[in-house]
Amino acid sequence: LLAAQPFCIFCGGATPAVSKEHCPPQALFDGRHSPEGFVFSSCQQCNGGTSDEDLVAAFMGRIDPTAAGLSQQTVGLIRRVVLQSPGVLAATRYTPTEARQAARKLGIRPEKGQLYQDLPLLRVTHEMERAVCTLVAKLTKALYYKQTGKVFPADGGILMNWFTNEELYSRGKVAVLEVLENQPAIQVKLVRNGKDLGDQLGIMVNPVEGGEQLVVRAAFGKGWGFVAFAFAQSGKAQEAHDMAAAQSPRARSPFRVL
């Protein structure tokens, strides 16, 4: 792998690669069984510097308000988050009043003997935002490389909108996904030893001819998802961001530039 691509694909292709990185990260999948064919050349900083964010993003993907209790995999992730990033989970916990309001908004109720705070509901924190931005940027660049065979330029930009399961359950839809609903897309196959991993991570891409742009749609279990527009040309992502802001009633873009 390093012989075929001796430079890191995550930071523009100028830094020598010293390791192989799984992207999406192994922590996202049951038993750490990540999909085949998703290992990339990486420098030390890009590979070793995001393990905390990977763990938080993986935990977020396990949050399912409709599930009865926590799976063994989720419990294991919680333990790892507590050990690796103390304080992160405490910051996500709702107060009893907040938990009750959030549950009513989603139309769910605790089981007999269960408190509203026991439901799998989380407050979005700064650590979560950072974890999402880190993973979205890396996964989008990895998909760009797989689709085009080119390293995403260091001066390229990614326009991203992410959403939690709250938007889906409370509104019945995700606005940004509706916009792309009728656009042609390719389902990315995620397989390990013949097993389809689509229930843990689903990815669709809308490649643009010439490799100048790639649209990515992804859903991490029933926890969260994102839409990303990768622009290889410098400045295009910011232009698209400003255009979206100008068209918004509140003069705010629903996207952020990575």
Side-chain angles (χ1 to χ4, degrees):
L1 177 67
L2 297 183
Q5 176 48 263
F7 296 96
C8 179
I9 71 145
F10 298 105
C11 54
T15 307
V18 296
S19 62
K20 303 173 184 178
E21 176 162 9
H22 293 83
C23 189
Q26 293 173 305
L28 285 169
F29 301 93
D30 291 345
R32 296 176 61 82
H33 298 312
S34 56
E36 298 157 356
F38 283 81
V39 182
F40 304 90
S41 300
S42 176
C43 66
Q44 184 59 42
Q45 182 175 354
C46 288
N47 193 358
T50 62
S51 60
D52 289 353
E53 287 83 359
D54 291 347
L55 200 56
V56 171
F59 167 67
M60 291 168 60
R62 301 282 180 174
I63 303 304
D64 179 5
T66 65
L70 300 176
S71 69
Q72 185 177 359
Q73 294 288 338
T74 303
V75 172
L77 274 173
I78 290 174
R79 290 172 179 164
R80 291 177 61 194
V81 171
V82 171
L83 289 173
Q84 198 162 316
S85 303
V88 168
L89 289 184
T92 68
R93 192 169 174 80
Y94 280 122
T95 66
T97 299
E98 291 171 335
R100 187 180 298 107
Q101 291 173 343
R104 288 175 177 174
K105 185 178 180 181
L106 296 175
I108 59 176
R109 296 179 61 86
E111 300 289 336
K112 185 177 180 180
Q114 188 182 39
L115 301 175
Y116 278 98
Q117 280 186 298
D118 296 329
L119 293 171
L121 302 169
L122 299 179
R123 177 190 290 111
V124 176
T125 65
H126 173 71
E127 289 82 6
M128 287 182 172
E129 292 275 2
R130 183 175 63 199
V132 165
C133 290
T134 299
L135 180 53
V136 170
K138 294 182 72 173
L139 181 56
T140 301
K141 291 174 182 179
L143 291 167
Y144 180 89
Y145 182 77
K146 282 189 71 71
Q147 294 295 319
T148 68
K150 303 175 183 178
V151 175
F152 191 72
D155 61 350
I158 297 172
L159 201 62
M160 181 270 288
N161 175 285
W162 78 283
F163 48 88
T164 67
N165 53 25
E166 180 179 356
E167 184 172 352
L168 176 62
Y169 286 104
S170 63
R171 302 179 185 176
K173 60 183 179 181
V174 177
V176 70
L177 293 180
E178 282 198 316
V179 174
L180 297 172
E181 191 172 31
N182 296 320
Q183 297 297 315
I186 301 170
Q187 181 79 43
V188 177
K189 293 183 178 180
L190 302 176
V191 179
R192 178 66 179 263
N193 295 329
K195 180 183 178 181
D196 185 2
L197 304 180
D199 61 326
Q200 299 171 65
L201 173 60
I203 300 175
M204 300 186 75
V205 294
N206 303 59
V208 175
E209 190 174 350
E212 289 301 312
Q213 181 183 334
L214 181 73
V215 183
V216 179
R217 286 176 269 179
F220 296 80
K222 295 183 179 180
W224 67 283
F226 74 86
V227 171
F229 299 82
F231 297 89
Q233 188 175 346
S234 177
K236 285 293 184 180
Q238 188 62 54
E239 288 181 16
H241 175 275
D242 295 344
M243 185 180 298
Q247 295 174 353
S248 170
R250 297 182 180 179
R252 289 184 59 187
S253 172
F255 298 91
R256 68 175 64 187
V257 179
L258 305 178

